[in-house]
Amino acid sequence: MRKSSFLLPIIAVIGIAIYSALFIVDEREKALVLQFGRVVDVKEEPGLYFKIPLIQEVVSYDDRILSREVGPLEITPSDDRRLIVDAFARYRITDVVQFRQAVGPGGVALAEQRLDNILRSQTREVLGKVTSNDILSSDRAALMLNIRNAAITEAQGLGLEVIDVRLKRTDLPQANLEATFARMRAEREREAADEIARGEEAAQRVRAQADRTVVELVSDANRQSEIIRGEADAKRNGIFAEAFGADPEFFEFYRSLAAYRNSLLEGNSTMVMSPDSDFFNYLKSDTRE
């Protein structure tokens, strides 16, 4: 009974010691074995490993490709047209020993701060040598490659490998953006005013042509109507002349009746003329009472 009471604590201590001496390296990680803060071993392959309890400690770092976004950065290209640039980088920890020596206990957080400084510096340097049109054109891919190549060299001192650098957004500063929008709006308004003026000019030409066409058509119609009317009158007069020429006395009688009809209208019954006037010749009678 006494032996078991002594063995159980010993076994528990041994179990705890063994458990604290074991550590696992995941396939997505790399591990450093530190003894009093100094690197004594590097574990890059996944598996189960041992360390000296209480003396050694294990620090793990992600072995996957990591992403880092760089906040808005104001740059000034060679044409002095300021731009706001957003970028992001993809990197990985390649040398964990150098990484630990460079950043110490600060780890990934401190490394990313330094990587931000590298990316900002190289972005300003590369983009500051070209014009804003180059940045916004198809040459942008080559510029991103130059930024990445320049960042690779500096990042090696941190034990990092910069795999890719991309420019996400390239905009004008807010003040310049508003001024650009105002200029574009003014240009569109000027173009609209020009289009309206050209439209009004074309409308005036169409109206003038239409008015001219109307005048010409009306004039031609009037001319043709006068010709037709003249021809009809001439034909009518010819018919009258031919008809009345056959019997002049009847023609004179017909003309007198037409004159009576026009003179003796309602409300026009009073006539003043000489008694021996020939007007009423056909109303006179030779019979006397």
Side-chain angles (χ1 to χ4, degrees):
M1 189 69 179
R2 287 183 178 180
K3 289 183 179 181
S4 61
S5 62
F6 283 110
L7 288 176
L8 287 176
I10 294 174
I11 293 173
V13 171
I14 294 174
I16 293 172
I18 294 174
Y19 178 78
S20 61
L22 295 175
F23 67 94
I24 298 174
V25 176
D26 190 270
E27 64 270 11
R28 296 168 296 180
E29 297 177 336
K30 293 180 181 179
L32 292 178
V33 180
L34 305 179
Q35 183 172 321
F36 304 116
R38 183 172 57 87
V39 178
V40 295
D41 198 1
V42 179
K43 303 298 183 182
E44 297 185 350
E45 298 296 329
L48 182 64
Y49 297 95
F50 293 92
K51 65 182 179 64
I52 300 174
L54 303 177
I55 297 177
Q56 295 179 342
E57 62 175 328
V58 177
V59 179
S60 298
Y61 298 106
D62 202 324
D63 192 35
R64 295 173 296 179
I65 295 176
L66 305 176
S67 297
R68 179 63 179 173
E69 292 193 8
V70 181
L73 175 65
E74 184 173 317
I75 63 170
T76 304
S78 59
D79 56 0
D80 293 331
R81 185 182 181 185
R82 293 187 303 163
L83 296 174
I84 302 296
V85 175
D86 283 346
F88 77 92
R90 300 172 66 220
Y91 72 98
R92 68 183 302 174
I93 302 172
T94 53
D95 190 336
V96 289
V97 175
Q98 188 173 4
F99 181 81
R100 178 69 184 187
Q101 293 174 349
V103 300
V108 175
L110 180 58
E112 288 185 340
Q113 291 180 7
R114 294 186 180 179
L115 182 60
D116 283 354
N117 294 334
I118 294 173
L119 293 174
R120 287 175 178 272
S121 174
Q122 295 303 325
T123 300
R124 281 196 176 98
E125 182 176 351
V126 172
L127 300 185
K129 297 177 181 178
V130 297
T131 65
S132 56
N133 290 333
D134 294 331
I135 299 174
L136 300 174
S137 68
S138 58
D139 296 335
R140 181 170 177 159
L143 297 176
M144 291 187 293
L145 183 61
N146 293 339
I147 296 173
R148 189 205 70 172
N149 294 339
I152 285 176
T153 304
E154 293 192 34
Q156 286 176 349
L158 299 175
L160 303 177
E161 177 190 3
V162 178
I163 298 173
D164 192 16
V165 175
R166 295 286 171 178
L167 301 178
K168 296 194 303 180
R169 179 175 64 97
T170 306
D171 291 333
L172 294 171
Q174 189 61 33
N176 294 6
L177 196 61
E178 293 175 357
T180 300
F181 285 158
R183 185 173 65 253
M184 293 174 62
R185 189 180 301 110
E187 291 177 356
R188 299 293 88 77
E189 290 176 352
R190 179 182 57 78
E191 291 177 359
D194 291 342
E195 289 295 333
I196 292 173
R198 284 193 290 269
E200 289 293 338
E201 182 181 357
Q204 290 294 336
R205 287 198 301 268
V206 171
R207 292 191 192 99
Q209 183 63 35
D211 293 341
R212 178 179 177 181
T213 302
V214 168
V215 171
E216 290 177 352
L217 290 175
V218 171
S219 176
D220 185 65
N222 290 333
R223 182 181 60 82
Q224 292 183 15
S225 66
E226 291 296 331
I227 293 174
I228 294 173
R229 188 178 294 109
E231 292 175 352
D233 290 342
K235 188 174 182 179
R236 182 196 62 181
N237 294 334
I239 294 173
F240 282 164
E242 183 180 356
F244 296 140
D247 191 347
E249 184 177 354
F250 175 77
F251 177 70
E252 184 178 355
F253 175 70
Y254 177 80
R255 294 293 299 272
S256 297
L257 291 180
Y260 297 157
R261 182 183 59 196
N262 294 331
S263 300
L264 300 176
L265 296 176
E266 183 179 358
N268 188 21
S269 60
T270 302
M271 301 180 64
V272 178
M273 60 182 61
S274 173
D276 56 352
S277 174
D278 294 335
F279 184 74
F280 292 108
N281 284 340
Y282 290 97
L283 298 180
K284 295 178 181 180
S285 175
D286 293 336
T287 304
R288 298 182 182 274
E289 296 181 356

